Amino acid sequence: MTAKVVTRFAPSPTGFLHIGGARTALFNWLYARHTGGRMLLRIEDTDRERSTDAAVDAIIDGLDWLGLKADEPPVSQFERAARHREVAEEMLAADKAYLCFATQAELEEMREKAKTEKRPPRYDGRWRDRDPSEAPEGVKPVIRIKAPQEGETLVRDQVQGDVRFPNRDLDDFVLLRSDGTPTYMHAVVVDDHDMGVTHIIRGDDHLTNAGRQTLIYQAMGWDVPVMAHIPLIHGEDGAKLSKRHGALGVEAYRAMGYPPEALLNYLARLGWSHGDDEVMSIDQMIEWFDIVDVNKGAARFDFAKLNALTGVHIRSTADEKLVEMLMDERDHLPNGANLKAASDERVRQILLQAMPGLKERAKSLVELTDMAGFYFAARPLAMDEKAEGILASGGREIVAKVLPALSAAPEWNGKALEEIVRATAEADGLKLGKLAQPLRAALTGRSTSPGVFDVLEVLGREESLARLSDQASA
Ligand code: GLU
């Protein structure tokens, strides 16, 4: 029996969860779900200067919002420093690593020399075979790996294919600094091994690290996990997306009103495909996802596509679910205050009734909220320019004319109300639209809205008549 799959997402908490990180988390999560395995979360907080608690919270909140929960509590890399040291010392004892007493000045000199010779800066191995008894006084050593000097290291990447690193390029890199703290290169390997990670799925900016990390696995006699380095996300213009670009944090997408399902669908399709399928549910993604199907080429982030896909998701989401989504997201949307009324119960009830008319055109929860806003607006309604134009050019008179018939309506439902307005129109030899347009303006403060008879029904008798009276008597 093969071992159960264990994937991991290993963000550095130096900023929020950016969109590229979210996609890496998604691929790890999908692969774990697809194979019946587990996804773990490791917070790579060894860089104490740049790691913040706020960033850890933002990452965990972002993952929660997306529904990409890890299967175990997060592991802090920083807290495992003693274990990283222990492994470095084990390598030292096994002659797989050595103490290096080169001074800063020596290292600087090596770098300079490499520069003038136009070579990449590499440690020259000067302490590889020297005895620590020769150590200069006052220099605290680092521990360096004793890397093979010939041959090559092969990374059999699931996305990039076989990648070969000539060992002479990998050099004897540092595992443990002179202050006893591990390097990133070393900590990642020890953690992945101890956490039982079987598959490393991460951005291809880490591909060159994979060669060096493989050397640590080999020195320890540990199994090398399966590697999959996924292409980075580029912008619409083809330029690399900047991690620190504020607009690209997951919470920015939340504030733009993308439902998690739609965003995940879009992210999954960035670099991965399943036939011609564009629109997928989470269950379908889980069923279909495989890392070997991820493309090698950089994916381009395209807002127009994301918006179109979000529109499809919104239309196919059940009304009840959309209402709950809006209620949950209200506080995260810039116009969320639109959805506040006397009671949440009333907001829910109105949204539920109005949803079929609203969801047809919305491409985000922000648009949905915007379109629904008039239902909850306080009287007298503020009119937008077009609505005011309609009312000012004879619309108010029409509203005044229809009002008595509507006030006398024996039942308050869209169909019955339409009949009443139609009869009034016919009596005056007017087209239904001539009456509907000013009614819409008076009821919604806008020139476009869902069907005006739906609006009347959802608003209810009392509120509808009050809004119409406000204009009839204005
Ligand atoms: N902490 C690294 C990052 O945020 C990821 C390391 C890894 O996945 O191995 O880019």
Side-chain angles (χ1 to χ4, degrees):
M1 206 183 85
T2 48
K4 279 238 170 182
V5 164
V6 179
T7 65
R8 70 0 176 228
F9 177 50
S12 306
T14 53
F16 42 73
L17 177 62
H18 59 95
I19 201 73
R23 189 190 53 153
T24 302
L26 172 64
F27 284 5
N28 277 284
W29 185 85
L30 283 176
Y31 193 64
R33 291 284 90 84
H34 175 76
T35 54
R38 285 175 301 142
M39 179 184 85
L40 309 181
L41 175 62
R42 179 172 68 241
I43 304 292
E44 305 217 309
D45 50 359
T46 24
D47 183 345
R48 301 314 281 168
E49 301 266 289
R50 294 177 58 226
S51 301
T52 66
D53 288 345
V56 174
D57 291 345
I59 289 167
I60 292 178
D61 287 352
L63 291 174
D64 277 357
W65 174 66
L66 288 168
L68 304 178
K69 262 186 146 1
D71 295 299
E72 284 176 24
V75 170
S76 153
Q77 186 161 65
F78 174 67
E79 285 171 15
R80 294 178 36 80
R83 170 66 180 152
H84 302 142
R85 196 154 51 237
E86 180 182 282
V87 172
E89 276 156 11
E90 218 176 287
M91 286 171 71
L92 191 61
D95 199 29
K96 301 285 186 188
Y98 60 93
L99 293 176
C100 164
F101 294 88
T103 61
Q104 282 309 322
E106 286 179 83
L107 294 171
E108 191 50 44
E109 202 182 304
M110 263 179 243
R111 264 193 294 272
E112 282 305 315
K113 193 157 173 262
K115 222 187 203 168
T116 47
E117 290 170 12
K118 295 202 164 40
R119 295 183 283 111
R122 297 283 178 255
Y123 174 72
D124 65 5
R126 62 182 62 186
W127 279 91
R128 193 175 162 107
D129 300 311
R130 259 170 98 178
D131 195 274
S133 64
E134 296 174 35
E137 214 155 299
V139 179
K140 272 189 151 185
V142 300
I143 298 183
R144 288 183 183 272
I145 190 167
K146 202 174 246 185
Q149 292 174 309
E150 273 150 29
E152 60 181 19
T153 295
L154 173 65
V155 173
R156 316 214 77 158
D157 196 272
Q158 299 278 298
V159 175
Q160 310 289 333
D162 283 357
V163 185
R164 291 163 201 281
F165 297 92
N167 287 334
R168 72 185 126 76
D169 290 347
L170 297 180
D171 83 357
D172 292 347
F173 56 92
V174 176
L175 303 171
L176 207 71
R177 299 190 189 91
S178 56
D179 63 1
T181 60
T183 56
Y184 156 75
M185 203 67 76
H186 179 62
V188 167
V189 172
V190 176
D191 291 346
D192 281 337
H193 173 75
D194 288 0
M195 289 163 76
V197 171
T198 61
H199 290 69
I200 294 178
I201 304 171
R202 62 185 173 191
D204 66 9
D205 49 337
H206 289 286
L207 182 61
T208 51
N209 294 334
R212 289 198 162 94
Q213 289 169 349
T214 299
L215 294 180
I216 304 178
Y217 284 101
Q218 288 169 346
M220 287 303 291
W222 291 341
D223 287 340
V224 184
V226 175
M227 306 251 186
H229 288 89
I230 59 178
L232 297 182
I233 302 176
H234 287 214
E236 275 160 70
D237 56 358
K240 205 168 135 181
L241 279 190
S242 155
K243 275 190 185 181
R244 284 169 205 82
H245 195 313
L248 298 169
V250 160
E251 58 284 2
Y253 290 86
R254 184 175 196 178
M256 288 185 260
Y258 295 108
E261 290 80 354
L263 190 55
L264 292 177
N265 184 169
Y266 181 69
L267 289 178
R269 288 285 294 101
L270 272 184
W272 169 72
S273 54
H274 178 264
D276 291 332
D277 293 300
E278 288 289 347
V279 184
M280 308 175 194
S281 68
I282 301 214
D283 286 343
Q284 287 170 321
M285 290 189 253
I286 292 174
E287 192 186 326
W288 296 334
F289 185 80
D290 199 341
I291 15 175
V292 292
D293 296 329
V294 174
N295 304 321
K296 240 160 115 164
R300 283 192 187 203
F301 196 91
D302 179 346
F303 268 106
K305 274 196 187 154
L306 171 59
N307 292 339
L309 196 57
T310 303
V312 177
H313 271 269
I314 288 180
R315 282 196 291 286
S316 65
T317 302
D319 296 347
E320 292 76 9
K321 197 170 166 204
L322 281 173
V323 171
E324 283 321 305
M325 218 184 265
L326 283 172
M327 298 306 277
D328 289 347
E329 293 301 309
R330 233 174 3 176
D331 293 338
H332 296 273
L333 303 177
N335 56 355
N338 278 1
L339 304 184
K340 300 233 161 111
S343 70
D344 282 1
E345 203 188 328
R346 174 151 169 85
V347 177
R348 277 200 174 83
Q349 181 211 329
I350 289 187
L351 282 178
L352 193 57
Q353 273 184 281
M355 200 49 82
L358 294 172
K359 75 177 183 188
E360 284 313 308
R361 281 175 301 155
K363 290 197 185 63
S364 72
L365 299 183
V366 172
E367 283 186 22
L368 212 47
T369 301
D370 193 46
M371 285 158 56
F374 74 85
Y375 282 113
F376 309 103
R379 293 182 35 233
L381 245 54
M383 295 290 136
D384 73 16
E385 210 177 309
K386 282 191 181 160
E388 181 52 39
I390 292 166
L391 290 168
S393 56
R396 292 204 162 85
E397 290 69 22
I398 289 178
V399 173
K401 189 191 293 270
V402 191
L403 190 54
L406 286 175
S407 307
E411 33 167 358
W412 199 266
N413 67 59
K415 265 214 144 12
L417 296 168
E418 182 170 350
E419 283 316 312
I420 290 172
V421 177
R422 195 180 289 282
T424 315
E426 276 167 14
D428 284 334
L430 291 171
K431 287 228 164 78
L432 181 63
K434 271 268 177 265
L435 270 57
Q437 218 21 18
L439 289 178
R440 177 196 310 280
L443 291 165
T444 68
R446 303 172 182 200
S447 57
T448 55
S449 76
V452 72
F453 302 106
D454 287 343
V455 170
L456 282 165
E457 181 174 326
V458 173
L459 274 176
R461 182 191 293 267
E462 199 184 330
E463 181 68 18
S464 299
L465 293 177
R467 289 186 184 193
L468 294 174
S469 304
D470 287 344
Q471 296 308 321
S473 56

